[in-house]
Amino acid sequence: MIEPLVDVSRDFPIFNRRINGYPLVYLDSAATSHKPEPVLAAMDQFYRHSNANVLRSVHTLAEEATTAYARARETVSTFIAATDPKEVIFTRGTTESLNLVARSFGDQFLRAGDEIVLSPMEHHSNLVPWQQVAKRTGAVLRYIDLADDGTISIDAVRRVISPKTRIAALSKISNVLGSVNPIVEVADLVHQVGGVMVVDGAQSVPHEPTDVMAMNADFLAFSGHKMCGPTGIGVLWGRAEWLAQMEPIAFGGEMISYVDREMATWAEVPEKFEGGTPNIAGAIGLAAAIDYLTAIGMDKICHHSQALGEHAFDALREISGVSVYGPRRPHAAAVAFTIDGIHPHDIAQVFDSKAIAIRAGHHCAQPLMQWLGVGSTARASFYFYNSSNDIDRLLDAILETKRFFQR
Amino acid sequence: MSLDDLYRETIMDHNQSPRNRRSLEHPTKTVGLLNPTCGDQLKLDLRVQDGMVVDVGFTGHGCSISMASASMLTEAIKGKSTDEALALARHFKAFLTGTPSPVNLGDLEALQGVSQFPSRVKCATLAHNALEKALSQD
Ligand SMILES: Cc1ncc(COP(=O)(O)O)c(C=O)c1O
């Protein structure tokens, strides 16, 4: 029996809901996680008690808001073991973070013929920005070959890395295959040829301890909403020496130093990249989420996520007519599967009638679907509020789905 | 809303034995459509002569709702004029938002339950959108 790591009904009001007469079984945390009371309370408290814009005024509320926003940046910085909070840029989420690197770093440093190394498992947000920068600069995309179980071997990486590699952009954990990619080793190879390592941490940062220096990364992108924070806040971490050289991409208030009629100069990092009023309450909510996760313990969360992922993988594989994707071990908290002859949308519909929330579709990874040779899959994904009972409900629902469609 | 209200017998039947599921040899109009939220694909082939849909076929992959709906639509429009076919598509879409149809929708009426599931309306109307697109080509 794998138990939740927290008192779920106390901390997560949403789990007290019933849907179609059943208690909610939420297996879609890879899409977004639920939000615990302390996160909701922190944001509520900010709006009710300290609401003001940051960096602009000297009144008490503005001081409080500015301090809280700065403290949120420090909390994030400590959580990912960055050397300086200035390396933490607040964005809307992983997508905006990756677009920022591609637009700013990519446009500035890529030349025609330079190579960008990607994998076919990438989420569209770690793929389309690179396609676009390749179009603008004449750079070329090189894809790492996946092994049969969807994993990446160092040999496969070696085959695509060349002296022309300027950027490798890779997810740490796949949102479909649940595979864990060898970032440290890839980063080593990329650094040997003078390139940079961009890590999509959307699925890893919520589930495991993160140390950007140990990871050997140059940039790391992640979203608050997948780690108990609110939507609309995310992070781009980058090495100070790169951020200092990069041009901003959004111009306006709060990102400038001096402006006259003809020209402007930029504020320092990170403000340079945060034009306009930022998502202050979002940053405060994210910091509260990080405090909440840290109190549980990221090591414990990592262990729990993997235990559920591997248990689900093994159990699904036993059911005839069910295909499960990705590696057996280690398998992270996202498990994609299909049932012969039943479309994933129809699976998700039957599941919903039992209040079991899963995702069905291409998971924003169409090239991966093409590689797997399927149009779409169902996906169950877990977080620390799930238990092995939830997996039992999932297995029952699969049998029920088969009965319903194969009658 | 129970599952049986959504997945009526007629739908299960069309899903299991789709009608007109084939490519036409000599279509006069062909349209491929993607349902971007799920990656489902549908190709609709039409043979239109003198303003009449003389033959129609579809291929692709999708959920039971989209495939059954395509099957039902092809059955309903074969032998009809293009104006009648377009009117049928229009009335069917309105039907899914709760407006009774002035024309007989045939088996398509079995899709009524879809109106209770907004995320599935896209599936049920994929073939109809393809038809409208095909008949607006010149
Ligand atoms: C691996 C991965 N990358 C990127 C994203 C995009 O994150 P967001 O939609 O929060 O920008 C997601 C989540 O959907 C993801 O799973």
Side-chain angles (χ1 to χ4, degrees), chain A residues 255-267:
Chain A
M255 55 74 64
I256 47 77
S257 170
Y258 168 84
V259 184
D260 66 23
R261 289 190 178 203
E262 311 303 334
M263 55 80 69
T265 59
W266 314 142

Side-chain angles (χ1 to χ4, degrees), chain A residues 20 341 343 345-347 349-350 352-353 359-363 366 374-376 400 404-407, chain B residues 1 3-4 6-7 9 12 15-16 35-40 61-65 117 119-120 123:
Chain A
N20 297 320
H343 191 277
H345 261 186
D346 294 316
I347 301 174
Q349 194 81 61
V350 177
D352 182 64
S353 72
R359 171 93 191 265
H362 51 56
H363 317 289
Q366 290 187 19
V374 297
S376 58
E400 165 104 16
F404 188 81
F405 282 99
Q406 288 160 6
R407 61 193 149 145
Chain B
M1 189 77 196
L3 278 182
D4 293 319
L6 176 63
Y7 294 111
E9 278 307 322
M12 301 300 258
N15 185 41
Q16 267 146 25
N35 186 346
T37 54
C38 54
D40 290 348
H61 57 86
C63 65
S64 59
I65 300 292
F117 299 89
S119 69
R120 305 302 294 277
C123 312

Side-chain angles (χ1 to χ4, degrees), chain A residues 84-314:
Chain A
D84 188 340
K86 288 192 166 60
E87 295 182 323
V88 171
I89 300 162
F90 283 121
T91 64
R92 272 198 310 126
T94 308
T95 303
E96 187 173 284
S97 298
L98 292 167
N99 274 276
L100 172 54
V101 190
R103 206 15 115 174
S104 176
F105 184 91
D107 281 23
Q108 213 168 322
F109 292 105
L110 288 171
R111 300 285 169 267
D114 285 350
E115 293 176 357
I116 304 169
V117 167
L118 301 169
S119 90
M121 77 176 76
E122 297 313 305
H123 189 284
H124 295 159
S125 67
N126 195 28
L127 204 136
V128 183
W130 302 115
Q131 292 177 343
Q132 292 299 311
V133 73
K135 266 195 197 152
R136 292 194 295 272
T137 60
V140 179
L141 306 181
R142 301 280 313 269
Y143 283 93
I144 302 167
D145 265 333
L146 303 181
D148 288 347
D149 64 357
T151 53
I152 289 179
S153 74
I154 297 306
D155 278 342
V157 179
R158 278 212 184 86
R159 283 197 290 275
V160 292
I161 297 227
S162 83
K164 292 183 187 163
T165 306
R166 304 299 312 146
I167 296 173
L170 208 57
S171 48
K172 174 81 202 290
I173 292 181
S174 160
N175 63 320
V176 179
L177 300 169
S179 50
V180 183
N181 289 325
I183 298 294
V184 179
E185 292 82 354
V186 178
D188 259 341
L189 292 173
V190 176
H191 290 150
Q192 280 168 27
V193 297
V196 300
M197 182 75 225
V198 179
V199 180
D200 174 350
Q203 297 296 339
S204 71
V205 176
H207 289 275
E208 61 179 26
T210 299
D211 180 329
V212 284
M213 301 313 278
M215 198 188 256
N216 216 352
D218 295 281
F219 297 96
L220 172 72
F222 58 98
S223 299
H225 69 93
K226 295 186 200 283
M227 49 191 287
C228 294
T231 52
I233 188 80
V235 170
L236 175 67
W237 168 85
R239 288 194 187 248
E241 59 265 37
W242 290 124
L243 296 177
Q245 296 176 58
M246 284 158 55
E247 286 291 310
I249 61 167
F251 305 93
E254 318 217 41
M255 55 74 64
I256 47 77
S257 170
Y258 168 84
V259 184
D260 66 23
R261 289 190 178 203
E262 311 303 334
M263 55 80 69
T265 59
W266 314 142
E268 297 293 311
V269 174
E271 285 80 19
K272 176 169 86 172
F273 294 108
E274 295 182 1
T277 300
N279 183 354
I280 307 162
I284 290 167
L286 173 57
I290 288 174
D291 289 342
Y292 180 83
L293 296 175
T294 306
I296 300 169
M298 289 310 294
D299 282 315
K300 272 169 83 180
I301 290 175
C302 181
H303 183 78
H304 180 266
S305 291
Q306 195 169 317
L308 286 176
E310 292 177 353
H311 175 47
F313 184 92
D314 288 349

